[in-house]
Amino acid sequence: MLQEQDEQEYLAHFLRFAALMLRDAELAPYSRQLVAEFEQRLLVTQEKWQQEVCDLVELRRQTTETFPDLDNSNTAFDEGPLGVSYEYDVSLAHFDDLVSGVSRESGESFSLIAPSMYDDSTLPLQVLSILKSTLRPKFDAYAKQAAEQRARGDTVDKMPEALDRLWSRLGSIEQAHAHDYRDFVNWRRTSPGQALVNVADLAKRLNPEPLQYESIHEIWKLRSLKEEWYYGHLGRVLYANEPDPKELKAVVNGCRNNARISYEGLRESISRLGAHEQIVNRYKIRCMWYDPSEVHNLGLQSDGEVALTRHLALYLYDQGLPVVSRLRVGIHEPDVAELGQGAILIEVKKYHAQERPSRVREKLIRGLAQLHAYLNAFEAHTEIREAYYVVYRLGGPLVEMPRYVRTPRFNICTVLIDMGEAHESGSRQSRPVVITEADLTFLIEP
């Protein structure tokens, strides 16, 4: 319905679309996961860029140690009417200031026209450019000498080893950074998480929440040029009786693109999670309907939990999920993990009739907390957001748990596989153990 609308009608429906994606009880958890994946990718990229800066700092040290005459780190900062002096701008003094986070430029610039998204202004490229400019006189001097030797027909001297090593290393970092930066920008242009962040921002700007002011003076004090441009511009387009056609078209196109990407990403996320859940549920039916005795006997072994884990892992592997069992990650050892795209974690627990209901309840709550800890441990390695908590009942009371436990970053699905014997079912079944969402609130607190 949204894509069928046009012009101002589209923007009005866009606000309803944003509210549905971000606030609906069923959709919001999936939206939060997409945003969390987006934020995790941002964090990983920032860490990579920080490592590049560290590598360049080490190259800066090697450069000044090898060529002390290139050390211009004492260049004074000088800002004239035309801006910062060129001498400071390309000096190692500027390099050191950038790395340490020192900004010596006065005033605050604001441009209504944003640069191209491929216009790389990241810190690694800035300091790399300075270091390359510092080393270039040595490289140019060698290149000039080599050209003169070729012109005379003489044998061309090899580039000094230290210069060759430093210049080649800078070139390698520059090419790797350019590749990663373009890949990062391309990913952001197609990321559902980025699109959802944009949808939320656009909806906020189309109908901003009112601010509370104490006086007219405070209104003018808090109002900024940037706020007037973004909020006033979009509001004028949506609520004007006769909006500017060019402005309206630009805003609608931006909203339409972000809505399409976020919608398709949400559908893919729901389909992926639904497909995994369907496989796990088929395993549950297989155990309860077709292999109850075999699975029950596996659970009664001395290493029953390990045996049940292997039984589950083999089934998932046969269904196309390349899982591994008992994988150690740091101090953690999850029962089943699939580390490919759309990765999932599975934690297995069992209980039997000899365990007291209070003991069963405590054990299962602790196991869910353990699974949550595994998710946190894997988060730094892979964009894992999905987990299953599979509980085998070999006897004793049934357990009632929330079907889903959703945190701001993760989605945990609980599955109870009832392997209890016939004499414990029906009217002879004991009172169930109930674990409510309130019992698990410590998992979903921010």
Side-chain angles (χ1 to χ4, degrees):
M1 180 178 179
L2 178 65
Q3 298 299 86
E4 297 173 359
Q5 308 302 320
D6 201 5
E7 298 186 342
Q8 285 179 304
E9 287 299 316
Y10 178 89
L11 296 180
H13 281 84
F14 177 83
L15 290 174
R16 294 182 59 190
F17 169 81
L20 179 69
M21 297 283 279
L22 302 169
R23 300 176 189 170
D24 181 79
E26 294 297 324
L27 296 180
Y30 295 101
S31 297
R32 286 198 299 268
Q33 288 180 29
L34 289 174
V35 172
E37 292 173 6
F38 163 71
E39 292 173 344
Q40 178 65 23
R41 174 67 183 268
L42 287 180
L43 180 61
V44 170
T45 301
Q46 289 170 357
E47 290 175 349
K48 180 184 293 185
W49 288 347
Q50 186 58 46
Q51 183 57 52
E52 289 178 355
V53 171
C54 292
D55 294 342
L56 290 165
V57 168
E58 173 60 22
L59 281 179
R60 179 228 187 279
R61 184 191 65 80
Q62 294 176 16
T63 298
T64 53
E65 284 186 356
T66 306
F67 305 108
D69 58 307
L70 296 181
D71 190 353
N72 55 4
S73 56
N74 59 350
T75 303
F77 172 78
D78 181 22
E79 184 176 20
L82 299 179
V84 179
S85 66
Y86 176 78
E87 289 75 15
Y88 169 80
D89 204 36
V90 297
S91 70
L92 292 180
H94 191 200
F95 181 105
D96 297 337
D97 285 344
L98 287 172
V99 170
S100 59
V102 175
S103 177
R104 300 187 183 276
E105 297 184 44
S106 61
E108 181 179 356
S109 61
F110 176 72
S111 174
L112 300 182
I113 303 176
S116 165
M117 64 184 68
Y118 293 102
D119 184 10
D120 186 357
S121 59
T122 58
L123 181 58
L125 186 62
Q126 291 185 59
V127 295
L128 187 146
S129 299
I130 292 174
L131 194 55
K132 202 169 182 180
S133 296
T134 302
L135 197 59
R136 181 170 291 279
K138 295 291 183 183
F139 180 82
D140 289 347
Y142 166 75
K144 180 180 178 180
Q145 174 186 304
E148 292 173 349
Q149 289 173 334
R150 290 192 193 94
R152 295 194 302 266
D154 298 339
T155 302
V156 177
D157 295 335
K158 291 182 62 176
M159 182 183 294
E161 183 179 351
L163 177 62
D164 188 18
R165 184 182 70 254
L166 291 170
W167 193 260
S168 299
R169 180 62 178 146
L170 281 174
S172 297
I173 294 177
E174 185 175 31
Q175 291 184 27
H177 176 81
H179 174 272
D180 291 343
Y181 179 80
R182 291 167 186 156
D183 184 64
F184 174 70
V185 172
N186 291 336
W187 168 78
R188 288 194 68 169
R189 295 181 69 181
T190 59
S191 165
Q194 173 73 83
L196 278 167
V197 170
N198 294 343
V199 165
D201 185 55
L202 288 165
K204 178 182 178 182
R205 293 177 178 180
L206 284 169
N207 190 20
E209 296 182 1
L211 300 176
Q212 299 297 323
Y213 301 107
E214 298 294 332
S215 66
I216 294 295
H217 174 72
E218 187 178 354
I219 292 178
W220 290 107
K221 181 180 178 181
L222 298 179
R223 182 175 294 171
S224 67
L225 173 63
K226 190 173 182 179
E227 183 182 74
E228 277 292 296
W229 169 255
Y230 285 124
Y231 287 79
H233 169 68
L234 294 186
R236 183 173 65 250
V237 168
L238 175 55
Y239 302 110
N241 289 328
E242 295 182 2
D244 181 271
K246 291 184 178 179
E247 288 184 341
L248 178 59
K249 182 178 180 180
V251 173
V252 168
N253 286 343
C255 292
R256 195 184 299 277
N257 185 56
N258 284 295
R260 177 182 56 80
I261 294 175
S262 58
Y263 172 75
E264 294 297 337
L266 193 64
R267 285 188 59 185
E268 180 184 353
S269 178
I270 294 174
S271 299
R272 185 182 71 240
L273 296 179
H276 288 165
E277 186 176 347
Q278 187 179 38
I279 292 174
V280 175
N281 284 334
R282 283 206 305 268
Y283 172 77
K284 173 181 177 177
I285 293 173
R286 182 181 187 276
C287 292
M288 295 176 61
W289 290 10
Y290 301 106
D291 288 328
S293 298
E294 178 186 349
V295 177
H296 187 272
N297 292 334
L298 285 175
L300 294 179
Q301 295 177 8
S302 58
D303 59 346
E305 207 162 272
V306 175
L308 290 171
T309 297
R310 186 174 186 277
H311 187 266
L312 170 59
L314 285 172
Y315 178 85
L316 296 179
Y317 185 85
D318 289 342
Q319 298 301 311
L321 296 180
V323 298
V324 292
S325 179
R326 316 297 292 188
L327 175 67
R328 176 165 290 280
V329 180
I331 62 173
H332 301 296
E333 187 176 313
D335 291 329
V336 180
E338 190 268 300
L339 302 181
Q341 188 175 6
I344 62 174
L345 279 182
I346 299 180
E347 178 66 9
V348 172
K349 293 294 178 186
K350 69 179 180 71
Y351 69 93
H352 48 74
Q354 286 70 40
E355 296 182 81
R356 298 191 310 273
S358 59
R359 163 66 179 164
V360 171
R361 188 173 186 277
E362 178 186 354
K363 175 182 180 180
L364 297 185
I365 291 178
R366 190 169 63 250
L368 197 58
Q370 184 180 11
L371 177 55
H372 186 258
Y374 293 159
L375 285 167
N376 278 287
F378 270 101
E379 189 175 25
H381 166 72
T382 184
E383 296 178 356
I384 183 167
R385 295 285 177 263
E386 179 186 1
Y388 290 85
Y389 188 43
V390 180
V391 177
Y392 294 84
R393 171 185 175 263
L394 305 179
L398 285 170
V399 173
E400 281 290 331
M401 290 186 293
R403 178 63 171 165
Y404 301 102
V405 179
R406 293 187 171 107
T407 78
R409 303 197 312 279
F410 308 118
N411 185 67
I412 301 174
C413 179
T414 66
V415 180
L416 177 66
I417 301 179
D418 185 6
M419 295 286 98
E421 296 180 336
H423 67 271
E424 293 183 315
S425 62
S427 60
R428 293 178 292 275
Q429 173 65 52
S430 58
R431 184 177 178 179
V433 172
V434 178
I435 300 175
T436 67
E437 188 171 351
D439 297 322
L440 307 172
T441 53
F442 68 94
L443 291 178
I444 58 177
E445 290 178 354

